Amino acid sequence: MLPYATLLHLDKKGATPLYVQLSEQLGQLIRAGTLSAGQRLPGTRLLANQLAINRQTVVAAYDDLLAQGWLDSRTGSGTFVADHMPTVTPLSFNELERTRPKATPVQVEQPGYAFETRTYLTRPALGSPAGLRFDDGLPDARLAPLDELSRAYRSYFRWGNPQAHFGYNDTKGNSLLREQLSAHLNETRGLRTTSANILITRGSIMGIHLTSQVLLRPGDVVVTGETTWTGATMNARQAGAQLLTVPVDVHGLNVDALADLCARQPIRMVYVTPHHHYPTTVTMRADRRIRLLQLAEHYRFAILEDDYDYDFHYLGRPILPLASADPQGMVVYVGSLTKSVAPAFRVGYVVGPTALIDEMARLRRIIDRQGDPALEFAIGQLFQSGEMKRHFRKAIRTYEARRDHLCRLLTSELYDQIQFTKPDGGLAIWATFNQDIDLEAIAERTGRAGLYLSSGLVHNLPGQLLNSTRMGFASSTEAELEQAVVLLKSLM
């Protein structure tokens, strides 16, 4: 008879039911060879007495192992380890002690097989910091039309055919949202789309991923600005592409440098954020936009235009996207509503030629069968009712006032330590700290004091220290911005 009271350790105060603990630990003893194939287990009453537990707990554990095929029950003889179990060399006493189930299970950290760790995927995930913050440029969820969205969301559950509402839906996204979004993009951005040109995604990052997977093959060359969004570069690398960069100045991507690259080697795709370049917020000049489209048509490369915060522009009418002046279908236009409503609502979109959208929808099906039909329907309702337009107007006025207020505060309080240019749009300013200021140390110090400030290290060029960071203003009230600047000044 094995010393079951020693081999088994049940936590009677733990959250896991005792019969589950007993079943799992007996299974471990079988897999370790301590209990061999065909070996008879003690009767339920005897084992219950040894472990000082209820007999029904042992019965439930045995039943569980019988159902899984680990045990066999032989009428009149008892319960045995199944005969089909492979022969395992029993562990020595010392090995048995090391592997004996502990009261607190140890989490397995490394698998028993090899896999590749992709270092380019190791980047800090963008969060929504609590308290005072200069974030990456996030919207203020307090301004989002949550009551209206909630009513529209509930209507999805009350109206229509439940079989249609709660079954599988179109992989391209909810038809109402695609129709409304097509009309919105045509009106505000000068696009010429129908719903067939639009694929709804879970944020712009999914649109960039699908574009990269469909268009890129290992060895293809992708060009970005020297400063750019790592979410895009990670997707390009994941597709096996080679990354090249060109300078970005106060007028956006340097298209002359891009032309030189095109003359020397084939380019498959160029990734740009022309409206508010990420992270520096500069707007690409009109002549450069025209030149970029000409280069794409001549050299036959795709342009991936990420227009992540087009709706928030404060200096008159914003410059129209590249996609609005693209008769040849060279531009894949990606956008997001997460900046318009709140990051938790994962709704983005890809706009492109119908053949490309169809292929992306086929790929999306094996990644994420469909989006969130109820949420997409609700946001489509807000577009249809005009609520989204009202929200945009309100948010633009509020964010412009906050931008101006932060710029005044930085100018008056930190004029000799921080340089910046007031952005024409977007939700953050690009701030450069004096070179004698250790921005990383400042970020650590402000974090301990309750103020989030990015160190900006993720934006550094290879071998260079920009000493710059994005200081988001949209998610904070004017009073909160004042408190944040006062605290930052005191810590600097």
Side-chain angles (χ1 to χ4, degrees), residues 169-173 178 195-201 206-207 209-211 213-214 350 353-371:
N169 280 264
D170 194 333
T171 54
K172 294 180 183 179
R178 290 165 60 214
S195 61
N197 297 112
I198 296 175
L199 172 70
I200 304 300
T201 62
M206 185 179 189
H209 177 75
L210 292 174
T211 303
Q213 292 297 313
V214 169
V350 182
T354 54
L356 179 65
I357 294 301
D358 290 344
E359 182 65 16
M360 286 189 182
R362 288 188 282 268
L363 176 61
R364 188 249 175 87
R365 183 178 179 182
I366 65 171
I367 300 172
D368 180 25
R369 171 59 178 76
Q370 63 193 48

Short mmCIF file of all heavy atoms in Angstrom, two decimals, residues 169-173 178 195-201 206-207 209-211 213-214 350 353-371:
data_model
loop_
_atom_site.label_atom_id
_atom_site.label_comp_id
_atom_site.label_asym_id
_atom_site.label_seq_id
_atom_site.Cartn_x
_atom_site.Cartn_y
_atom_site.Cartn_z
N ASN A 169 -21.99 36.62 -38.52
CA ASN A 169 -22.22 37.79 -39.34
C ASN A 169 -21.14 37.91 -40.40
O ASN A 169 -20.18 37.14 -40.44
CB ASN A 169 -22.26 39.05 -38.47
CG ASN A 169 -23.60 39.22 -37.78
OD1 ASN A 169 -24.47 39.94 -38.25
ND2 ASN A 169 -23.77 38.55 -36.65
N ASP A 170 -21.29 38.93 -41.24
CA ASP A 170 -20.35 39.17 -42.33
C ASP A 170 -18.96 39.43 -41.76
O ASP A 170 -18.79 40.23 -40.84
CB ASP A 170 -20.83 40.39 -43.14
CG ASP A 170 -20.11 40.53 -44.47
OD1 ASP A 170 -18.96 40.06 -44.58
OD2 ASP A 170 -20.70 41.12 -45.39
N THR A 171 -17.95 38.75 -42.31
CA THR A 171 -16.58 38.96 -41.84
C THR A 171 -16.09 40.37 -42.12
O THR A 171 -15.11 40.82 -41.51
CB THR A 171 -15.62 37.95 -42.51
OG1 THR A 171 -15.78 38.04 -43.93
CG2 THR A 171 -15.92 36.54 -42.07
N LYS A 172 -16.75 41.09 -43.03
CA LYS A 172 -16.34 42.47 -43.32
C LYS A 172 -16.87 43.46 -42.29
O LYS A 172 -16.41 44.60 -42.26
CB LYS A 172 -16.83 42.89 -44.71
CG LYS A 172 -16.19 42.12 -45.85
CD LYS A 172 -16.72 42.59 -47.19
CE LYS A 172 -16.13 41.77 -48.33
NZ LYS A 172 -16.67 42.20 -49.64
N GLY A 173 -17.82 43.03 -41.46
CA GLY A 173 -18.36 43.91 -40.45
C GLY A 173 -19.83 44.18 -40.65
O GLY A 173 -20.42 43.87 -41.69
N ARG A 178 -20.83 49.86 -41.95
CA ARG A 178 -20.05 50.05 -43.18
C ARG A 178 -20.71 51.07 -44.10
O ARG A 178 -20.03 51.91 -44.70
CB ARG A 178 -19.89 48.70 -43.89
CG ARG A 178 -18.96 47.75 -43.15
CD ARG A 178 -19.08 46.33 -43.64
NE ARG A 178 -18.74 46.23 -45.06
CZ ARG A 178 -19.33 45.38 -45.89
NH1 ARG A 178 -20.30 44.58 -45.46
NH2 ARG A 178 -18.96 45.33 -47.14
N SER A 195 -19.88 50.68 -49.34
CA SER A 195 -19.63 49.77 -48.22
C SER A 195 -18.73 48.60 -48.63
O SER A 195 -18.06 48.01 -47.79
CB SER A 195 -20.96 49.24 -47.67
OG SER A 195 -21.67 48.51 -48.66
N ALA A 196 -18.70 48.29 -49.94
CA ALA A 196 -17.85 47.19 -50.42
C ALA A 196 -16.37 47.51 -50.31
O ALA A 196 -15.54 46.60 -50.38
CB ALA A 196 -18.21 46.84 -51.86
N ASN A 197 -16.03 48.78 -50.15
CA ASN A 197 -14.63 49.20 -50.02
C ASN A 197 -14.15 49.21 -48.58
O ASN A 197 -13.01 49.60 -48.32
CB ASN A 197 -14.44 50.61 -50.59
CG ASN A 197 -14.73 50.68 -52.07
OD1 ASN A 197 -15.69 51.30 -52.49
ND2 ASN A 197 -13.89 50.04 -52.86
N ILE A 198 -14.99 48.78 -47.64
CA ILE A 198 -14.68 48.95 -46.22
C ILE A 198 -14.71 47.61 -45.49
O ILE A 198 -15.65 46.82 -45.65
CB ILE A 198 -15.66 49.94 -45.55
CG1 ILE A 198 -15.50 51.33 -46.18
CG2 ILE A 198 -15.45 50.00 -44.04
CD1 ILE A 198 -16.48 52.34 -45.68
N LEU A 199 -13.68 47.39 -44.69
CA LEU A 199 -13.61 46.25 -43.79
C LEU A 199 -13.51 46.78 -42.36
O LEU A 199 -12.62 47.57 -42.06
CB LEU A 199 -12.38 45.38 -44.10
CG LEU A 199 -12.06 44.25 -43.12
CD1 LEU A 199 -13.09 43.15 -43.23
CD2 LEU A 199 -10.66 43.69 -43.37
N ILE A 200 -14.43 46.37 -41.51
CA ILE A 200 -14.40 46.79 -40.11
C ILE A 200 -13.44 45.87 -39.36
O ILE A 200 -13.46 44.64 -39.51
CB ILE A 200 -15.80 46.72 -39.47
CG1 ILE A 200 -16.80 47.57 -40.27
CG2 ILE A 200 -15.75 47.22 -38.02
CD1 ILE A 200 -16.44 49.03 -40.38
N THR A 201 -12.58 46.46 -38.53
CA THR A 201 -11.58 45.70 -37.78
C THR A 201 -11.66 46.06 -36.31
O THR A 201 -12.38 46.97 -35.90
CB THR A 201 -10.16 46.02 -38.29
OG1 THR A 201 -9.90 47.42 -38.09
CG2 THR A 201 -10.03 45.69 -39.77
N MET A 206 -5.27 46.08 -36.17
CA MET A 206 -5.69 44.90 -36.89
C MET A 206 -5.70 45.16 -38.39
O MET A 206 -5.34 44.29 -39.19
CB MET A 206 -7.08 44.45 -36.43
CG MET A 206 -7.54 43.14 -37.05
SD MET A 206 -9.17 42.66 -36.44
CE MET A 206 -9.29 41.01 -37.12
N GLY A 207 -6.09 46.37 -38.78
CA GLY A 207 -6.05 46.73 -40.19
C GLY A 207 -4.64 46.70 -40.74
O GLY A 207 -4.40 46.24 -41.87
N HIS A 209 -2.18 44.92 -39.52
CA HIS A 209 -1.76 43.51 -39.53
C HIS A 209 -2.29 42.80 -40.78
O HIS A 209 -1.53 42.10 -41.47
CB HIS A 209 -2.26 42.80 -38.28
CG HIS A 209 -1.95 41.34 -38.25
ND1 HIS A 209 -0.70 40.85 -37.99
CD2 HIS A 209 -2.74 40.25 -38.47
CE1 HIS A 209 -0.72 39.52 -38.04
NE2 HIS A 209 -1.94 39.15 -38.34
N LEU A 210 -3.56 42.96 -41.07
CA LEU A 210 -4.14 42.30 -42.24
C LEU A 210 -3.49 42.80 -43.53
O LEU A 210 -3.20 42.01 -44.43
CB LEU A 210 -5.65 42.55 -42.28
CG LEU A 210 -6.49 41.88 -41.18
CD1 LEU A 210 -7.93 42.34 -41.26
CD2 LEU A 210 -6.40 40.37 -41.28
N THR A 211 -3.25 44.10 -43.61
CA THR A 211 -2.60 44.66 -44.80
C THR A 211 -1.22 44.07 -44.98
O THR A 211 -0.82 43.68 -46.08
CB THR A 211 -2.51 46.18 -44.69
OG1 THR A 211 -3.82 46.74 -44.51
CG2 THR A 211 -1.90 46.79 -45.95
N GLN A 213 -0.04 41.21 -43.82
CA GLN A 213 -0.08 39.79 -44.13
C GLN A 213 -0.50 39.53 -45.58
O GLN A 213 -0.03 38.58 -46.21
CB GLN A 213 -1.02 39.07 -43.17
CG GLN A 213 -0.53 39.01 -41.74
CD GLN A 213 0.77 38.23 -41.61
OE1 GLN A 213 0.92 37.14 -42.16
NE2 GLN A 213 1.72 38.79 -40.88
N VAL A 214 -1.39 40.36 -46.10
CA VAL A 214 -1.88 40.16 -47.47
C VAL A 214 -0.86 40.66 -48.50
O VAL A 214 -0.62 40.01 -49.52
CB VAL A 214 -3.24 40.86 -47.67
CG1 VAL A 214 -3.62 40.88 -49.15
CG2 VAL A 214 -4.32 40.16 -46.86
N VAL A 350 -10.52 49.46 -42.57
CA VAL A 350 -9.60 49.52 -43.70
C VAL A 350 -10.42 49.88 -44.93
O VAL A 350 -11.50 49.31 -45.15
CB VAL A 350 -8.90 48.17 -43.94
CG1 VAL A 350 -7.91 48.28 -45.10
CG2 VAL A 350 -8.18 47.69 -42.69
N PRO A 353 -9.45 49.07 -52.51
CA PRO A 353 -10.16 48.45 -53.64
C PRO A 353 -10.89 47.19 -53.19
O PRO A 353 -10.43 46.47 -52.29
CB PRO A 353 -9.03 48.13 -54.63
CG PRO A 353 -7.93 49.08 -54.27
CD PRO A 353 -8.00 49.24 -52.79
N THR A 354 -12.01 46.90 -53.80
CA THR A 354 -12.85 45.79 -53.34
C THR A 354 -12.12 44.44 -53.38
O THR A 354 -12.34 43.60 -52.50
CB THR A 354 -14.14 45.70 -54.18
OG1 THR A 354 -13.77 45.62 -55.58
CG2 THR A 354 -15.01 46.93 -53.98
N ALA A 355 -11.26 44.23 -54.38
CA ALA A 355 -10.54 42.96 -54.45
C ALA A 355 -9.64 42.77 -53.23
O ALA A 355 -9.51 41.66 -52.69
CB ALA A 355 -9.71 42.89 -55.73
N LEU A 356 -9.00 43.85 -52.78
CA LEU A 356 -8.14 43.77 -51.61
C LEU A 356 -8.97 43.56 -50.35
O LEU A 356 -8.61 42.74 -49.48
CB LEU A 356 -7.31 45.05 -51.48
CG LEU A 356 -6.38 45.12 -50.27
CD1 LEU A 356 -5.29 44.07 -50.38
CD2 LEU A 356 -5.77 46.51 -50.14
N ILE A 357 -10.09 44.27 -50.23
CA ILE A 357 -10.96 44.12 -49.06
C ILE A 357 -11.50 42.69 -48.98
O ILE A 357 -11.56 42.10 -47.90
CB ILE A 357 -12.11 45.14 -49.12
CG1 ILE A 357 -11.56 46.57 -49.00
CG2 ILE A 357 -13.13 44.86 -48.02
CD1 ILE A 357 -10.80 46.86 -47.73
N ASP A 358 -11.86 42.12 -50.11
CA ASP A 358 -12.35 40.73 -50.12
C ASP A 358 -11.29 39.77 -49.61
O ASP A 358 -11.57 38.84 -48.84
CB ASP A 358 -12.78 40.34 -51.53
CG ASP A 358 -14.05 41.05 -51.98
OD1 ASP A 358 -14.75 41.61 -51.12
OD2 ASP A 358 -14.33 41.05 -53.20
N GLU A 359 -10.05 39.96 -50.06
CA GLU A 359 -8.97 39.08 -49.62
C GLU A 359 -8.68 39.25 -48.14
O GLU A 359 -8.45 38.26 -47.41
CB GLU A 359 -7.71 39.35 -50.44
CG GLU A 359 -6.53 38.46 -50.10
CD GLU A 359 -6.76 36.99 -50.42
OE1 GLU A 359 -7.71 36.68 -51.17
OE2 GLU A 359 -5.99 36.14 -49.91
N MET A 360 -8.71 40.48 -47.66
CA MET A 360 -8.50 40.72 -46.23
C MET A 360 -9.60 40.07 -45.40
O MET A 360 -9.34 39.54 -44.31
CB MET A 360 -8.46 42.22 -45.95
CG MET A 360 -7.19 42.90 -46.38
SD MET A 360 -7.14 44.60 -45.76
CE MET A 360 -5.58 45.14 -46.47
N ALA A 361 -10.83 40.12 -45.90
CA ALA A 361 -11.94 39.50 -45.18
C ALA A 361 -11.75 37.99 -45.09
O ALA A 361 -12.07 37.36 -44.08
CB ALA A 361 -13.26 39.84 -45.86
N ARG A 362 -11.22 37.39 -46.16
CA ARG A 362 -10.95 35.94 -46.12
C ARG A 362 -9.87 35.62 -45.11
O ARG A 362 -9.95 34.61 -44.39
CB ARG A 362 -10.56 35.46 -47.52
CG ARG A 362 -11.72 35.42 -48.51
CD ARG A 362 -11.32 34.74 -49.81
NE ARG A 362 -10.55 35.60 -50.66
CZ ARG A 362 -11.05 36.40 -51.61
NH1 ARG A 362 -12.36 36.44 -51.80
NH2 ARG A 362 -10.26 37.14 -52.36
N LEU A 363 -8.85 36.46 -45.03
CA LEU A 363 -7.79 36.23 -44.03
C LEU A 363 -8.30 36.48 -42.63
O LEU A 363 -8.00 35.72 -41.70
CB LEU A 363 -6.60 37.15 -44.33
CG LEU A 363 -5.45 37.10 -43.31
CD1 LEU A 363 -4.85 35.71 -43.22
CD2 LEU A 363 -4.38 38.13 -43.66
N ARG A 364 -9.09 37.52 -42.47
CA ARG A 364 -9.61 37.87 -41.15
C ARG A 364 -10.43 36.70 -40.57
O ARG A 364 -10.43 36.48 -39.35
CB ARG A 364 -10.48 39.12 -41.26
CG ARG A 364 -10.93 39.67 -39.90
CD ARG A 364 -12.40 39.51 -39.69
NE ARG A 364 -12.79 39.94 -38.36
CZ ARG A 364 -13.11 41.19 -38.04
NH1 ARG A 364 -13.07 42.13 -38.95
NH2 ARG A 364 -13.46 41.48 -36.80
N ARG A 365 -11.07 35.94 -41.45
CA ARG A 365 -11.93 34.85 -41.01
C ARG A 365 -11.17 33.81 -40.20
O ARG A 365 -11.72 33.18 -39.29
CB ARG A 365 -12.59 34.20 -42.22
CG ARG A 365 -13.58 33.10 -41.87
CD ARG A 365 -14.23 32.54 -43.12
NE ARG A 365 -15.15 31.47 -42.79
CZ ARG A 365 -15.83 30.79 -43.70
NH1 ARG A 365 -15.69 31.07 -44.98
NH2 ARG A 365 -16.65 29.82 -43.32
N ILE A 366 -9.89 33.58 -40.50
CA ILE A 366 -9.13 32.55 -39.77
C ILE A 366 -8.37 33.16 -38.59
O ILE A 366 -7.66 32.44 -37.89
CB ILE A 366 -8.15 31.81 -40.71
CG1 ILE A 366 -7.07 32.75 -41.25
CG2 ILE A 366 -8.90 31.14 -41.83
CD1 ILE A 366 -5.96 32.04 -42.00
N ILE A 367 -8.50 34.46 -38.39
CA ILE A 367 -7.86 35.12 -37.25
C ILE A 367 -8.91 35.49 -36.20
O ILE A 367 -8.77 35.22 -35.01
CB ILE A 367 -7.12 36.39 -37.70
CG1 ILE A 367 -6.02 36.05 -38.71
CG2 ILE A 367 -6.54 37.15 -36.50
CD1 ILE A 367 -5.38 37.25 -39.34
N ASP A 368 -9.98 36.10 -36.69
CA ASP A 368 -11.04 36.60 -35.81
C ASP A 368 -12.31 36.56 -36.66
O ASP A 368 -12.53 37.45 -37.47
CB ASP A 368 -10.71 38.03 -35.37
CG ASP A 368 -11.77 38.63 -34.46
OD1 ASP A 368 -12.48 37.85 -33.81
OD2 ASP A 368 -11.88 39.86 -34.39
N ARG A 369 -13.10 35.51 -36.52
CA ARG A 369 -14.21 35.22 -37.44
C ARG A 369 -15.02 36.46 -37.81
O ARG A 369 -15.43 36.65 -38.95
CB ARG A 369 -15.10 34.15 -36.81
CG ARG A 369 -16.42 33.88 -37.51
CD ARG A 369 -16.24 33.45 -38.94
NE ARG A 369 -17.47 33.13 -39.61
CZ ARG A 369 -18.35 34.02 -40.07
NH1 ARG A 369 -18.11 35.30 -39.92
NH2 ARG A 369 -19.46 33.64 -40.67
N GLN A 370 -15.24 37.32 -36.85
CA GLN A 370 -15.98 38.56 -37.09
C GLN A 370 -15.71 39.48 -35.91
O GLN A 370 -15.12 39.07 -34.91
CB GLN A 370 -17.48 38.29 -37.21
CG GLN A 370 -18.10 37.73 -35.94
CD GLN A 370 -19.49 37.17 -36.16
OE1 GLN A 370 -19.73 36.42 -37.08
NE2 GLN A 370 -20.41 37.54 -35.29
N GLY A 371 -16.13 40.70 -36.03
CA GLY A 371 -15.96 41.65 -34.94
C GLY A 371 -17.07 41.50 -33.91
O GLY A 371 -17.58 40.40 -33.65
#
